[in-house]
Amino acid sequence: MRKGVMAACVLATSLGLLTAGCGDKHKAVPSSGGLAQPTSPGPEQSPPESPGAPESSPPAATESPGATVSPAPGPVTINAKDTSVGKILVDDKGMTLYLFDKDKDGKSSCTGECEKQWPPVVTTEKATAGQGVDASKLGTTDRPDGTKQVTYNNHPLYHYVKDTKPGDMNGQGAQAFDGKWYVVDATKGDKIEKK
């Protein structure tokens, strides 16, 4: 009988089956009964995800400081143009030029905010008279910032920011900065008051 039990244990052991009666050297069958199942490995653990490189936003574009622009690098040509109010002064692009009746003795009184609205005609060289312009009336005057402003018949000359194309005369007769602004008569070199 003992030999029969031992033979059954050997057979069961060789088949991977464990029984309760096979002695101390063998494991007992699980309490649930039946055959012992090999332990299934736990769910495969994937390696922890590396956070990866943090998203880097593209570097902010740096604005290169603008170069200082010379107001008029080179000579300035003053021309005459026939208009509805007479023959007036214009620049070499045909833009209307003005005088400021507050200016005295050939000196500009338009600075600061005024010169942003009424940019002075400045040059680094001598102004040139175009067709219909009296060269003897052309000159320059020193501005407070050290630039040279073109004059005609001793009147400092200006553009107007609201003139956007040749032929515009939006500043004619305008009241601004404690004075009035007029187009300039190319022949006489004085203001033209009519609109």
Side-chain angles (χ1 to χ4, degrees):
M1 180 74 176
R2 177 83 178 160
K3 290 181 179 179
V5 172
M6 290 300 292
C9 283
V10 171
L11 178 63
T13 304
S14 65
L15 294 174
L17 303 174
L18 302 177
T19 62
C22 293
D24 296 6
K25 296 181 180 177
H26 302 285
K27 293 182 181 176
V29 177
S31 61
S32 59
L35 301 175
Q37 299 294 325
T39 306
S40 62
E44 186 175 310
Q45 292 185 354
S46 56
E49 291 183 13
S50 61
E55 288 185 18
S56 58
S57 54
T62 54
E63 291 182 356
S64 57
T68 302
V69 179
S70 175
V76 170
T77 300
I78 306 298
N79 295 314
K81 181 179 181 179
D82 287 316
T83 69
S84 59
V85 298
K87 186 174 281 190
I88 67 169
L89 296 182
V90 297
D91 67 10
D92 56 358
K93 295 180 179 68
M95 300 300 289
T96 302
L97 301 179
Y98 299 87
L99 62 77
F100 186 30
D101 69 358
K102 189 179 173 185
D103 291 346
K104 302 297 179 192
D105 302 321
K107 295 293 182 185
S108 173
S109 58
C110 178
T111 58
E113 190 59 36
C114 176
E115 66 182 312
K116 292 178 184 176
Q117 299 295 316
W118 301 87
V121 180
V122 292
T123 185
T124 55
E125 299 182 25
K126 185 177 177 180
T128 303
Q131 189 171 2
V133 173
D134 185 348
S136 68
K137 288 181 167 61
L138 275 177
T140 59
T141 186
D142 292 329
R143 290 187 57 75
D145 62 4
T147 58
K148 290 194 176 297
Q149 184 171 359
V150 179
T151 61
Y152 194 71
N153 196 31
N154 216 30
H155 296 293
L157 300 178
Y158 304 85
H159 289 101
Y160 183 41
V161 293
K162 291 187 178 177
D163 288 347
T164 58
K165 64 183 183 301
D168 282 354
M169 292 189 292
N170 297 312
Q172 175 62 352
Q175 174 78 42
F177 300 99
D178 300 323
K180 280 200 164 186
W181 301 82
Y182 298 100
V183 295
V184 184
D185 187 314
T187 305
K188 299 177 181 177
D190 293 323
K191 64 185 178 183
I192 297 176
E193 297 189 59
K194 63 181 179 180
K195 291 188 177 182

